[in-house]
Amino acid sequence: GESVGLHLPTLSVQEGDNSIINCAYSNSASDYFIWYKQESGKGPQFIIDIRSNMDKRQGQRVTVLLNKTVKHLSLQIAATQPGDSAVYFCAEIRPGGSYIPTFGRGTSLIVHP
Amino acid sequence: EAGVAQSPRYKIIEKRQSVAFWCNPISGHATLYWYQQILGQGPKLLIQFQNNGVVDDSQLPKDRFSAERLKGVDSTLKIQPAKLEDSAVYLCASRTRPDPGRTGELFFGEGSRLTVL
């Protein structure tokens, strides 16, 4: 079946480096893609989303890139900080539904001071 | 602004026992979701409410799981009888209407961690 998945389960970076977290999706009809951050013991927190008619969107220290040709989504975090350590999920919203995000498995980002 | 409140935070039960989780969404949020998150996986939707009506419960194992939101505010998720594979974090989330600028923004509670022995 179609699903949202991630390339790497764990990513380790040094404080100050840029981080890139990748996500592959298979449902070409999805309208929106979202990145969530989940810290230990907490619920997921919205970071940024992007419409399917865009290829890039920037927020504060984060950039999401969407490549519809290869069905690939990435989250770039600039100047990664220890507080960025968390599990990051990409999610998709499929058309025809009630805007319910479908989550992938997640990537654990570990930032070393 | 107060966030989504959930209780209890932790619960340990034996298989075949029952358990109930409670959620109070952010004030004014008409839409409420229950997700199940198994360790190492992303959250999986169980049920969606719009006010006090069920919008989608297609992934709710109805033979053992039930949920209600009688007055359109707080909600209860019940499991009876519990199985070992129900061990997970149960997340409640809410939002107002979908905002075109932030369609994916759900507000999650901290979750209720269930361990079934």
Side-chain angles (χ1 to χ4, degrees):
Chain A
E2 296 183 323
S3 63
V4 177
L6 295 170
H7 291 303
L8 296 173
T10 302
L11 176 64
S12 292
V13 301
Q14 291 295 128
E15 181 178 0
D17 287 352
N18 296 332
S19 302
I20 300 176
I21 301 171
N22 295 305
C23 176
Y25 67 94
S26 57
N27 190 334
S28 58
S30 291
D31 294 319
Y32 280 92
F33 302 89
I34 314 106
W35 283 101
Y36 290 89
K37 172 186 180 182
Q38 187 173 25
E39 296 176 272
S40 181
K42 297 187 177 180
Q45 179 182 11
F46 174 95
I47 301 173
I48 191 168
D49 64 2
I50 187 168
R51 286 176 174 266
S52 58
N53 63 354
M54 302 170 66
D55 55 18
K56 180 179 180 179
R57 191 169 188 208
Q58 288 185 293
Q60 186 176 17
R61 281 201 307 119
V62 295
T63 300
V64 56
L65 299 178
L66 176 62
N67 185 331
K68 293 180 286 295
T69 301
V70 295
K71 297 177 185 173
H72 183 268
L73 191 70
S74 69
L75 178 71
Q76 300 178 2
I77 304 174
T80 313
Q81 303 168 1
D84 294 327
S85 294
V87 176
Y88 289 80
F89 293 96
C90 67
E92 62 179 331
I93 293 181
R94 297 168 180 172
S98 304
Y99 300 97
I100 301 172
T102 299
F103 287 78
R105 183 165 180 161
T107 291
S108 176
L109 175 65
I110 300 171
V111 182
H112 300 282
Chain B
E1 178 182 75
V4 176
Q6 290 189 247
S7 68
R9 287 296 313 276
Y10 304 94
K11 189 73 175 179
I12 301 174
I13 61 173
E14 295 186 347
K15 59 183 179 183
R16 292 187 289 273
Q17 289 187 323
S18 63
V19 63
F21 302 113
W22 174 82
C23 171
N24 191 18
I26 292 173
S27 178
H29 281 195
T31 309
L32 184 148
Y33 309 83
W34 283 102
Y35 279 86
Q36 180 193 57
Q37 186 174 24
I38 293 173
L39 184 65
Q41 298 182 17
K44 171 191 161 187
L45 180 72
L46 292 174
I47 190 168
Q48 177 191 359
F49 290 95
Q50 181 72 21
N51 296 309
N52 62 349
V54 175
V55 175
D56 185 347
D57 64 354
S58 59
Q59 299 194 70
L60 187 73
K62 298 180 187 65
D63 58 333
R64 299 183 300 106
F65 286 65
S66 64
E68 59 184 17
R69 194 184 183 198
L70 294 175
K71 298 182 179 179
V73 181
D74 56 351
S75 176
T76 302
L77 176 70
K78 296 180 181 178
I79 307 174
Q80 181 179 14
K83 293 185 175 181
L84 297 177
E85 59 260 37
D86 298 332
S87 294
V89 175
Y90 291 86
L91 293 162
C92 179
S94 71
R95 71 175 168 198
T96 176
R97 60 177 175 80
D99 181 334
R102 296 173 76 87
T103 295
E105 188 167 22
L106 276 64
F107 295 87
F108 284 86
E110 294 191 326
S112 294
R113 181 179 295 276
L114 174 66
T115 301
V116 182
L117 303 176

